[in-house]
Amino acid sequence: MDLKVILISLLLGVFCYCNPQKEGNECISANAKHCGECIQAGAKCGWCEQESFLKQGEALSTRCDEVESLKDRGCNDSQIQNPTGKKWIITNKRVTNRKKVTGVETNKPKPEEITQIQPQKLRLNLRSGQPQSFDLKFKRAEDYPIDLYYLMDLSYSMKDDLENVKNLGTSLMLEMKKITSDFHIGFGSFVEKTVMPYISTTPSKLLNPCTGDQNCTSPFSYKNVLSLTSDGNMFNSLVGKQQISGNLDSPEGGFDAIMQVAVCGKEIGWRNVTRLLVFSTDAGFHFAGDGKLGGIVLPNDGKCHLEDNVYTMSHYYDYPSIAHLVQKLSDNNIQTIFAVTEEFQPVYQELKNLIPKSAVGTLSANSSNVINLIIDAYNSLSSEVILDNSKLPEGVEIEYKSQCKNGVVNDKDDGRKCSNISIGDEVNFNITVTSKGCPNEGKSETIKIKPLGFTEEVEIILNFICDCQCQNNDVVKKSEKCSLNGTFECGACRCFEGRVGRNCECSSNDMATDDMDQTCRKDNSTDICSNNGECVCGTCECKKRPNPEERYSGQFCECDNFNCDRSENKLCGGNGRCVCRECICDPMWSGRACDCSLDNSTCLATNKQICNGRGRCECGVCKCTDPKFQGPTCETCPTCPGVCAEHKLCVQCRAFGTGEKMKTCKEECSYFNLITVKDRNKLPQPNDYPYPVMHCKERDANDCWFYYTYAVNDTEREVHVVDKLDCPSGPDIIPIVAGVVAGIVLIGLALLLIWKLLMIIHDRREFAKFEKEKMNAKWDTQENPIYKSPINQFQNPNYGRKAAVL
């Protein structure tokens, strides 16, 4: 064979191997040994339990494939195990439609009787890779109860702020009554850890940490001054008794206080309602790790340590970390409002970005604006709902999509939240849960979804589909079909440990024997299973290809479905099936690669004749017998008279944008490929191509000539055209104008010369006439008879004959 042909064949082989006809699927790649493994491989995977399904040489894992592929391969639809996930809504109490009632409300519901989220509980049966979705509704109830705990920094710098906070209770009560008729308020204070270097531990400073004559209370970490109550006057009374304290460093121990407020729900008096924590300070904060300065190395344990409403373990546990604080605030549904001075507003703004459902307000120098700040922050927090979920089991994913107010739709990361929600507005979320595989060995799991800052939540029980129904029904242990060495389930044997073979007939210790290998050799060859499989218990089990759709089969794995002839890089031309290395063509196709169409309709010309009567139809393609005719149906004649005129207008509009078809050029003139050349010498010549080329010369409306060639290359029409028009040259205006001007000037000069000559002749004639008349005059022109000269002459006798003139 020619070396060039061999190289081309090798390259085509590599190309075909690297570009398989169809990519594999996850079902076959899983190499599942039983039905449970199969359905966990993907949502499209099914297991065929039909006993007669496997063909000779096919492995057990071949039963696992995409459902449609199993049907195509002959598996009965009723014999395919393909369980699907389901959902059940267990508790579905409607959201509360409650209006605020002024005055005394007789049938006022309890907080736990108000519902803002629906449904409340459901169960999902999850199949691996198959998502389950449900809708969640949220509606802000009107007149919903609110608990507000005011946590204040009582270091010395907050002295003037304390005076304004003393009257906060009743004033805030009046404002909050406009929002809810059920409002509780509490108060707590903090300073710093009671160890060096945060405070001075000298006895006098422990009694009064302030300087001069200032009377301050002893330093403390955190005090719960007033648990949540509906009595605003009690708030004013207890807060009015508070005294300022002091510490040494600028950052305060506020994180210790926030942690205790979050975890000491019983002591603080939190109800299952909207919980607000107002944190008021004019300084920064200490966080985890700062406790080492005071010799405190134990991490904060996140537990309540209040004794007589005082935090007693500040000297023992470090400050909590921000992440720890975020977790506890979220677990206890507390929304935080940071009321801080303008100086520290940027610091707490960054902290707010780390704590969901929190807000920052700028506190005036003496906290006089604290009520407006709290109202504005509450409105900001309550106008946004953000869904959060508990920790997900490994392999479980959850996606959110929200349908918010005014038709706004969010997905991906923004799908968890809706903004600009007013009281009474209803928003919807679509939540999708997907599992991969069978988490936690198939044990049931429970996750919870809740809107941040609210106590209500949705409980979701997750059950995982890990096994097929056939693994529970019609299972025969020690089945005779499995040689009493395995369990017959789902149409196949599941061999006991140490047993192999399709019917568990062999021991794994006796697999590699010469007698067994002999039965796996075709025609006594040396190749076991044609080098395409392995001998298992005297029977060939064919190996798998990198592309799972490609399979070996046969008693000795001598057949495959991918080594058939190809056409246009398609196995069997895409018009047949490859069976044991031979193409089985679809109807109306023939040839080794199924690339020869038996349909003559593609050869019909417009006159309904096969190949226009000038050729024969071979594999759906016309072979023209008349060399003058070309094209797919032998109707094109590039060299016939009239070709140039036929294509003139289309060439003119496409090449030069002119002519009668200029407006319809794109619709009517796209039937040929246009190639432009620089001059006529570049146009194709008759001997340059194996097909006829027609040279054309046409003239447009402006008497300009354009030159092109028309040819048909197989099924494509080609037009080469000179890109410049050959137009008749117009008159050269400059020489004409110059000639006219020069002619006028020369004629003028000639006329002047003639006139001058005539004048000279005329003057000479007149002078001659004058001379003649002068000669004929009768008097002497030299002396006038009446003229007397004024000069007298005399002669001096003494001067010698010389005359003197007087």
Side-chain angles (χ1 to χ4, degrees), residues 693-758:
V693 177
M694 186 69 175
H695 280 258
C696 301
K697 176 183 178 182
E698 296 293 333
R699 184 164 58 185
D700 62 11
N702 297 322
D703 288 334
C704 294
W705 294 93
F706 56 95
Y707 303 89
Y708 65 95
T709 62
Y710 178 80
V712 179
N713 178 11
D714 293 333
T715 59
E716 293 186 356
R717 305 182 183 187
E718 291 184 354
V719 172
H720 290 73
V721 62
V722 179
D723 59 359
K724 292 182 180 179
L725 293 169
D726 185 7
C727 299
S729 59
D732 196 348
I733 297 177
I734 294 177
I736 294 174
V737 172
V740 171
V741 172
I744 293 172
V745 172
L746 291 175
I747 292 172
L749 291 175
L751 291 175
L752 287 175
L753 291 174
I754 293 171
W755 177 80
K756 184 65 174 176
L757 181 61
L758 292 174

Side-chain angles (χ1 to χ4, degrees), residues 140-159:
R140 278 190 60 196
E142 190 171 350
D143 196 25
Y144 194 72
I146 299 174
D147 285 354
L148 185 147
Y149 192 84
Y150 197 93
L151 183 59
M152 185 175 182
D153 176 7
L154 284 189
S155 59
Y156 186 76
S157 58
M158 294 286 286
K159 180 180 180 181

